[in-house]
Short mmCIF file of all heavy atoms in Angstrom, two decimals:
data_model
loop_
_atom_site.label_atom_id
_atom_site.label_comp_id
_atom_site.label_asym_id
_atom_site.label_seq_id
_atom_site.Cartn_x
_atom_site.Cartn_y
_atom_site.Cartn_z
N ILE A 248 7.08 28.52 215.60
CA ILE A 248 8.41 28.13 215.10
C ILE A 248 8.70 28.83 213.77
O ILE A 248 9.80 29.36 213.56
CB ILE A 248 8.52 26.60 214.95
CG1 ILE A 248 8.48 25.92 216.32
CG2 ILE A 248 9.79 26.22 214.19
CD1 ILE A 248 9.64 26.26 217.25
N GLU A 249 7.72 28.87 212.89
CA GLU A 249 7.90 29.54 211.60
C GLU A 249 8.12 31.04 211.77
O GLU A 249 8.92 31.65 211.06
CB GLU A 249 6.70 29.27 210.69
CG GLU A 249 6.65 27.83 210.18
CD GLU A 249 5.33 27.49 209.50
OE1 GLU A 249 4.53 28.42 209.25
OE2 GLU A 249 5.10 26.29 209.24
N SER A 250 7.41 31.64 212.73
CA SER A 250 7.57 33.09 212.97
C SER A 250 8.96 33.40 213.52
O SER A 250 9.44 34.53 213.37
CB SER A 250 6.49 33.59 213.93
OG SER A 250 6.73 33.15 215.25
N LEU A 251 9.59 32.41 214.14
CA LEU A 251 10.96 32.59 214.63
C LEU A 251 12.00 32.29 213.55
O LEU A 251 13.20 32.40 213.79
CB LEU A 251 11.20 31.66 215.83
CG LEU A 251 10.39 31.95 217.10
CD1 LEU A 251 10.61 30.85 218.14
CD2 LEU A 251 10.74 33.31 217.68
N GLY A 252 11.52 31.89 212.37
CA GLY A 252 12.43 31.60 211.26
C GLY A 252 12.85 30.16 211.15
O GLY A 252 13.83 29.84 210.47
N GLY A 253 12.10 29.26 211.81
CA GLY A 253 12.50 27.86 211.83
C GLY A 253 11.53 26.92 211.14
O GLY A 253 10.50 27.33 210.61
N ILE A 254 11.88 25.65 211.17
CA ILE A 254 11.02 24.58 210.66
C ILE A 254 10.99 23.47 211.71
O ILE A 254 11.88 23.37 212.55
CB ILE A 254 11.52 24.02 209.31
CG1 ILE A 254 12.95 23.47 209.46
CG2 ILE A 254 11.44 25.05 208.22
CD1 ILE A 254 13.42 22.65 208.27
N SER A 255 9.95 22.63 211.64
CA SER A 255 9.84 21.53 212.60
C SER A 255 9.19 20.33 211.93
O SER A 255 8.49 20.46 210.93
CB SER A 255 9.00 21.96 213.81
OG SER A 255 7.69 22.32 213.39
N ASN A 256 9.44 19.17 212.53
CA ASN A 256 8.81 17.95 212.05
C ASN A 256 9.05 16.84 213.07
O ASN A 256 9.66 17.07 214.11
CB ASN A 256 9.35 17.54 210.67
CG ASN A 256 8.30 16.85 209.82
OD1 ASN A 256 7.38 16.22 210.35
ND2 ASN A 256 8.42 16.96 208.51
N ALA A 257 8.59 15.65 212.74
CA ALA A 257 8.75 14.50 213.63
C ALA A 257 8.70 13.22 212.81
O ALA A 257 8.27 13.23 211.65
CB ALA A 257 7.66 14.49 214.70
N ALA A 258 9.16 12.13 213.40
CA ALA A 258 9.13 10.83 212.73
C ALA A 258 9.09 9.72 213.77
O ALA A 258 9.66 9.86 214.85
CB ALA A 258 10.35 10.66 211.83
N THR A 259 8.41 8.66 213.43
CA THR A 259 8.33 7.49 214.31
C THR A 259 9.05 6.32 213.65
O THR A 259 8.86 6.05 212.47
CB THR A 259 6.85 7.10 214.56
OG1 THR A 259 6.18 8.19 215.16
CG2 THR A 259 6.76 5.88 215.48
N GLY A 260 9.87 5.63 214.44
CA GLY A 260 10.57 4.44 213.98
C GLY A 260 10.17 3.25 214.83
O GLY A 260 9.24 3.32 215.63
N TYR A 261 10.89 2.15 214.68
CA TYR A 261 10.60 0.97 215.48
C TYR A 261 10.99 1.18 216.94
O TYR A 261 10.25 0.80 217.85
CB TYR A 261 11.34 -0.25 214.93
CG TYR A 261 10.74 -0.75 213.64
CD1 TYR A 261 11.37 -0.52 212.42
CD2 TYR A 261 9.53 -1.44 213.64
CE1 TYR A 261 10.81 -0.97 211.24
CE2 TYR A 261 8.97 -1.89 212.47
CZ TYR A 261 9.61 -1.65 211.26
OH TYR A 261 9.04 -2.09 210.10
#
Side-chain angles (χ1 to χ4, degrees):
I248 293 297
E249 288 169 10
S250 72
L251 294 173
I254 59 168
S255 61
N256 212 332
T259 301
Y261 287 105

